[in-house]
Amino acid sequence: MGEEPIGEPRHGHLLGRLSRLTDPAGFFRSDGEDRAADPLVAAHKAHFPKADVRLLRYAYTVAERYHRGQTRKSGAPYVTHPLAVALILADLGMDTTTLVAALLHDTVEDTDLTLGQVHAEFGEEVAVLVDGVTKLDGSKWGDRAEAETFRKIILAAAGDLRVLVIKLADRVHNLRTLRFHPKPEKRRRIARASLELLVPFAERLGIYVFKREMEDVAFACLHPEEYERTHAAVVGSAADRAARLDPLLEQLRKALTAAHLKARVVSRDRHLYSLHQDRRTPPIGPADPPRMGEAARVTVLVDGDAADCYVALGAIHGLWRPLPGRMKDFIALPKYNMYQSLHTAVVLPGGEALELAVRTPRMHRIAESGIISQIQDAAQASGTHARQAAHRADLQWLRNLLAWQAHAPSAEFLDSLRVDLRSAGIVTFTQAGDVVPLPAGATAIDFAYALDADTGHRAVGALTNGRLSSMTAPLEDGQVVEILTAGDGGSGPSEAWLESARTGHARVHIAQWLADRHAETAGLAGRRLVADALAARGENLLDLEGDGTMLQLGAEMGHPNLETLYTAVAAGAVTVDELTGHLTAVQQREEDDTGR
């Protein structure tokens, strides 16, 4: 899934089975090709000291051989791209299988290496990952290629989230080298797609290190002047912020020690895109740099358990006055992407606000790399468990995508996906206390369909926090929602619901229900037209349906069933005169056959 390679791939056969590669000094060092893989091997062994890296070196050798002759837009050999993708993942601690798949992720798409050969040489697990990130052929799929490729990735990720992890690392590296692409419009298109589709996936998987980098690079591409102004302001005011913040952090460390806690207090500047999004007026610039509380993010890493985090929160609030309504407990109620922390905002001396997060070091790993940290832990415990850790059936957002994606036409799929991938925004609850995350602006319609499609179709009203409310009114964070439903004879969703729904899950099911009902209504109208025309000829439609004549007639006219035939009549695609004329011909043919 890298940028399009320049030049023709070098065709050839695989180098042979891994059993031939047991002598690194004799094989790998013979032409020096494997030297390029040394940084990757070192990064991998830093996390997995006992890893057998022969397969990793072999995968690089195969990738280099098959990509030989291809170059990147920068002029570098194409193999530098899959090697960089694998190195990004190795630095984060991904397992050997994922790194092998990352090295091979473009071979099936851009060279004559087949998926069958990948399976034979590297096994089913690697082949599944490579297939999952391989784009569909644009020459065959046309305008549908991008939408159907994302649909394919989602389906593959349902079985193994490492498909998405490789795809994200692939995009991170492509964004790092985006400046080499000669076409400005294509650079902007890649940046926009990254913000709309890949960044949300990174957030859903909790890989914030990817999210922050992709957002900043896309920001620089799409809004270069704003980016440069924001960057200059943040860099230019860094020393002043540090001079003001450092004494406050020292105060906090002393307060935590007094509370008998072992903890590290660290700070970082928010990434530029986040600052830009939060303050548009007046825009951040050298003349109006970000305030300390705007730019700085303070994290308290507590050496202990969750209970110790609450003690640390108390120490913070004892030192500075908390801002009402700004405390959020993501430890008791983790985010949809496994994120856990306590969030608070306090008022500093002088009136400025400062935001802080409190978590354990393990929570911090998950906060930075999300699903990657869980896969790493499983692989370090036992490599056979990495695949199990990468299969998360409990991710509600993924279940929602799987529930509606199959019903969405290609033309609507990407738009619905963009809506569904937006930040969850609010958290709502069922009466039983189950969490239902929804995008900001979601309505009770979205809530009903998030439960299941049947509940959505039969919904007639909603109770929010025990009070009757409109199905189309936006929900608020923390509300308890109960959906009131009618029996099977209910009226079902309306066109107005389609306009009010915010999630792809709800919109796809509503659109499908309305299309089915429109077809049913049109079919009844068409049937009445046919019945009236036949009655004028002295014939009964029920008799012709009963003896199969109408079904035969429809098949001869290109309609596999009576519903589509009558719908075509109602739409004017088949006129009554055409139908009765064809009927006369069928009846005449039957009479002739009988006469014989």
Side-chain angles (χ1 to χ4, degrees), residues 407-479:
H407 306 289
S410 294
E412 302 171 10
F413 178 71
L414 284 181
D415 286 339
S416 295
L417 184 61
R418 289 184 183 98
V419 172
D420 243 32
L421 286 177
R422 288 173 188 162
S423 178
I426 62 172
V427 172
T428 56
F429 300 89
T430 67
Q431 282 188 302
D434 295 326
V435 177
V436 182
L438 294 168
T443 66
I445 297 168
D446 299 294
F447 185 96
Y449 281 95
L451 299 180
D452 61 75
D454 184 59
T455 298
H457 292 338
R458 295 190 297 112
V460 294
L463 297 175
T464 54
N465 293 342
R467 294 186 177 183
L468 189 65
S469 63
S470 168
M471 289 291 293
T472 59
L475 297 174
E476 297 178 4
D477 196 33
Q479 285 183 323

Side-chain angles (χ1 to χ4, degrees), residues 164-356:
L164 265 178
V165 173
I166 295 171
K167 171 63 179 172
L168 290 171
D170 169 75
R171 181 54 59 94
V172 166
H173 184 251
N174 278 334
L175 286 173
R176 288 178 182 177
T177 57
L178 190 60
R179 66 189 182 279
F180 294 112
H181 204 290
K183 297 179 180 179
E185 183 47 45
K186 187 163 185 181
R187 290 200 301 267
R188 288 191 289 269
R189 182 181 64 78
I190 293 170
R192 275 193 296 271
S194 300
L195 279 180
E196 293 175 354
L197 293 169
L198 277 303
V199 165
F201 270 127
E203 185 174 10
R204 292 301 171 105
L205 293 179
I207 312 174
Y208 283 91
V209 289
F210 285 172
K211 176 182 184 291
R212 291 192 292 264
E213 182 173 356
M214 286 193 287
E215 283 184 333
D216 277 357
V217 177
F219 178 30
C221 177
L222 295 172
H223 306 286
E225 292 182 4
E226 291 93 330
Y227 174 86
E228 290 298 335
R229 189 168 57 242
T230 305
H231 180 264
V234 170
V235 172
S237 59
D240 178 65
R241 279 197 311 279
R244 297 175 57 207
L245 184 60
D246 287 348
L248 297 171
L249 299 186
E250 189 57 35
Q251 279 184 266
L252 179 54
R253 292 185 184 100
K254 291 178 180 178
L256 294 167
T257 300
H260 307 290
L261 292 170
K262 288 184 178 180
R264 283 197 307 126
V265 180
V266 295
S267 67
R268 66 168 178 82
D269 281 343
R270 293 174 65 189
H271 64 294
L272 301 183
Y273 182 73
S274 177
L275 274 170
H276 171 73
Q277 287 291 95
D278 270 6
R279 176 141 76 83
R280 299 291 186 87
T281 306
I284 290 174
D288 194 358
R291 297 181 298 277
M292 181 185 69
E294 276 186 302
R297 285 293 177 267
V298 176
T299 303
V300 177
L301 299 175
V302 180
D303 185 8
D305 56 19
D308 294 315
C309 292
Y310 293 99
V311 176
L313 182 68
I316 294 169
H317 289 172
L319 184 61
W320 299 304
R321 180 168 58 85
L323 279 170
R326 297 287 293 276
M327 208 289 281
K328 293 185 178 179
D329 188 345
F330 294 118
I331 291 180
L333 190 65
K335 286 188 178 183
Y336 54 88
N337 57 10
M338 302 160 284
Y339 177 92
Q340 287 185 292
S341 283
L342 299 175
H343 286 196
T344 190
V346 298
V347 180
L348 300 172
E352 189 171 357
L354 179 68
E355 295 183 10
L356 302 97

Side-chain angles (χ1 to χ4, degrees), residues 69 105 109 171 194 226 382 390-391 423 428 448 452 467 471 480 491 513 538 546 568 572 575 582 596:
H105 80 273
E109 181 180 324
R171 181 54 59 94
S194 300
E226 291 93 330
S382 171
H391 177 68
S423 178
T428 56
D452 61 75
R467 294 186 177 183
M471 289 291 293
V480 178
S491 59
W513 191 93
T575 66
H582 206 96
R596 294 195 187 97

